[in-house]
Amino acid sequence: MGKTLDNVYRHQSLVYKYFLYVVSVALIVFFFPKGGKFKYEFQKGKPWQYENLYAPIDFSIKKSQEEIAEEQQSIRNGKTDYYTFDSGMVSEVGLTIENELTTFFQSESYTSQQKRILSQTAQDILAEVYETGIFSDRPESKSVIIVKNNEALPVSPNKFLLVETAKQLVGERFSALRMAGIAPVIGIVRNNLKSNLLYDEDLTQSALNDELSKISYTRGEVAQGKLIIAKGEIVEAEDFKVLNSLKDEYESELWLGNNYYFILLGYTILVALVLIMLFLFLKRYRIDIYRNNNKVTFIFFNILLMVLATTLMVKHYEDYIYVVPLCILPLILKNFFDARLGLFAHVLTVLILGFVVPNSFEYIFLQIIAGIVTILTASELYKRANLFISVGQITLIYIIGYFAFHAIHEGNLENIEWILFGVFVLNGLLTLFAQPLIYIFEKMFGLVSDVSLLELSDTNSKLLKELSDKAPGTFHHSLQVANLAEAAANEIGANAMLVRVGALYHDVGKMEHPTYFTENQITSVNPHDDLPPKESAKIIIEHVINGVETARKYNIPDRIIDFIRTHHGTTLVYYFFKKQQELDAEADEEDFRYPGPIPFSRETAILMMSDAVEAASKSLKNPTFPIIDEFVEKIVKGQMQANQFLNANITLKEIEMVKKVLKQKLTNIYHLRVEYPE
């Protein structure tokens, strides 16, 4: 048991990778839509490349979303409006008119017969206008039903009666009597007419919903064994609908019963293969990333994030899957690592999503092309314009690609779904969210992006400002080293921005005892003269440890602190060691050696060479081309003999290129020129 635990402990990094791998596969398969995958790939307007296809089961031909939407709109346009007949309003109007007529007749000299005729005419007119009812506004729908005494009575448009129309009818009916003195009676009747038909919104909506629910989502059946399409036949519009219907039926049926477990197994195997490819790529070509579990977790986290976002969109809004800004993945990975890893991870993610998205060929093609454009165009994201330019090009690629596929499928440019242009633009806008995401990921995973490096390179930052105040000589030395290291990094294709920032901060530990370092001594007094060599060496060596502590105090990223830790590696404080040997021939080298570690990347190796060359160059007197050449060769050769570059992935050829740049820069610094005769 003890040996097992010991093995687990010694291989905990590998155990964690196994755990991350298994969890990632499980989560991706869990995210996938719960359905099988149709085994045939087909496109509208392309030949059927398989054998003759016969219906394996009975299935219905489904209507397209456009057809269903058209039917729904047709029903809405022809919907029936329901109005409720208010009998109480009719009685109220009739009673009011009767009372007003009675009062009116009492004050006027009408005969009994005239009063009876006028009263009866008024009641007859009321019965006529309220037989169907009076609308307050003309109904928009041509189909109207009035609910009167729990009975539904349809009304034709030519019988729609408004209050104004009813008043005109009153005038016509009374005028037919040809009786003198009827104008006041007409006025009484007209003034009291009111609409009594009330629009019943609830009943209208309920009837509309009932009609909409009756829409059939299929338009015909295909019997088992019927030929659907023959080999080589062009997939026309009707064939395309039938094949899509079979695909939907097939995928929904497959997920039932025992097939569930086989489909689950298939998905698991395919996803596992894809993620194995990612691990193999990291182990073979990005070993430094592979060994760093934090970076591996970061890569898998971003892949899972893209898969989750896309699968959720497929489940709920399938028509808008291009809203998901998949190009954020290569954008972020290139920013934190490199272009090759970003593109490789993007392609693998697209392959995973190809299992579940509709029109997988079209999706994979467009996303891979967009990913390549992202890698080729997105650079120096700390320059704000670059991200906008890159996003604009990505959006343009999506639009051009959509045009091309639409032309292939339809054979023309008709029926273009213009809403997809809005989807592509929205995709571009969401891709701009990469900037805040980079900041969030920096805080979550402790990584450093070019944007942060640009901020750290500002010499007006709090820490560098303090360095320039307390140790101005060291600050000037750091600037010189930064220039040398940046030029060397550019020459061999290393991360020049990272090297420059590392160089600016590599000696911040000298602020603790600035006068013990020659570049900060402004008088002839040297405090080391009063100290034993061993004590002096201890102060010199401690500037590395002090630098690490100071950097952490100011929240400098670990990636920059690595430069502080490694810029002297495990080299010897040679000057004080020799002085100690003069006092004690058996002096221990370990007391005069930096604690390390030695450089473990091209960037940290470049800084070690640049720092040593720049510091030692101050001792050159009357430098010439041969002296500088020999001087640089001697320093770098000494570092190589001390095995300082064993862990750095820098080649001998690259070291030679670095030395060449250092020689050129030193020549420029000392302004060496050909001596002209007087």
Side-chain angles (χ1 to χ4, degrees), residues 21-33:
Y21 174 75
V22 171
V23 170
S24 299
V25 172
L27 284 175
I28 290 174
V29 174
F30 176 76
F31 292 155
F32 278 1

Side-chain angles (χ1 to χ4, degrees), residues 416-435:
I416 291 177
E417 297 182 33
W418 296 103
I419 192 172
L420 280 177
F421 293 111
V423 169
F424 295 140
V425 172
L426 182 58
N427 178 292
L429 294 176
L430 290 175
T431 305
L432 293 174
F433 193 65
Q435 279 285 21

